[in-house]
Amino acid sequence: MTLKTKYRTLLFVAIGSVPVVLLGISVAMSILYDKAFKMKNDGIPFHESYAYPMMLIAFVLALGMLAWLFSTSIHSLLSKITLLNKTIRELASNERIPETLTIKSEDEIGQLSQSVNLLIERTTYRELELAQQQELQKELLQKLRHDIHTPLTAIRLQLFYLEDQLQGQPKLVESLHAQIQYITNLTNAFQLQSFDTSEQSYVMQEEVQLVPLLQMMIKKWQYLYRMQNITLHFQHDDLQATWLSNELWLQRLFDNVFQNTLKHAQASKLEVTIKDGQVVMCDDGIGFTTEDEHGGLGLKIIQDIAKTLNIEASLQSNKNGTTFYFTH
């Protein structure tokens, strides 16, 4: 029986039962008085006797009983709706997956309960599937990290044997060691971060001197930029400019800007400026439309790292070039 049919029937029963019950009580009380009490009361009419107020009390009790019976059905419906609301909220809270509901009827509430059960089962399946995928990805990351460390170790050994031949270029040897260590630290950072989202991941905070960091990075990219005929300019208004952040992740953040400019900007120069604690990286390339979707990972990585480090990152781009703004 559908809810519409059920409560339409209940309404008709309520409308019809009230006069029937009142009439029944009135007739019953009148007959009972005439046969059992009228002679004892010297023939006093029913409406003048004490039986009349007793009949009115019986009316009130009967109406109260009918109201209680009909409200029980409404209360049952409200209880089912409350249970459905609680179950859906638990499912949406991501704290735990609720138990499936027991279905006792085939009306609209029962059908809705079946739909909620289907949603619970599908969510449970998706949670298990996601957990399995994360385990596989974690295992793959560990293997990849191992595979990266193996050639890095080999490079360190080869560099050790080449140091005698490169004695006249100590800065080159030092730079190569630094780059190997940078890759090692970066793979370790990936392992620590695992597959947490940007909101969940935690990065150790430290004081980072921006000027030495960017000077070092410009020296690192100088050769590749020179090969592409791109000039690098660096300016700052405060030698002691400091951010409370993480040096390794800041390097990765700025590396992606250098990489994007080198590969895609078709620029002739890149200017890096530190002003009032803000880092600005501006090129004079072809630019792009910021509203368009871009398939490259560079911009997505920049946004994700900035979010992780609580850095406000924005960009402006047009046919005259692209400018990145980073504000801590």
Side-chain angles (χ1 to χ4, degrees), residues 281-288 315-318 320-324:
M281 308 178 75
C282 176
D283 66 60
D284 61 349
I286 59 175
F288 60 91
L315 67 90
Q316 294 179 353
S317 185
N318 53 45
N320 296 320
T322 300
T323 304
F324 288 87

Side-chain angles (χ1 to χ4, degrees), residues 288-308:
F288 60 91
T289 304
T290 56
E291 289 78 12
D292 293 344
E293 292 289 336
H294 298 275
L297 289 175
L299 293 179
K300 179 66 167 59
I301 293 173
I302 291 171
Q303 293 170 358
D304 289 344
I305 297 177
K307 191 173 184 180
T308 300

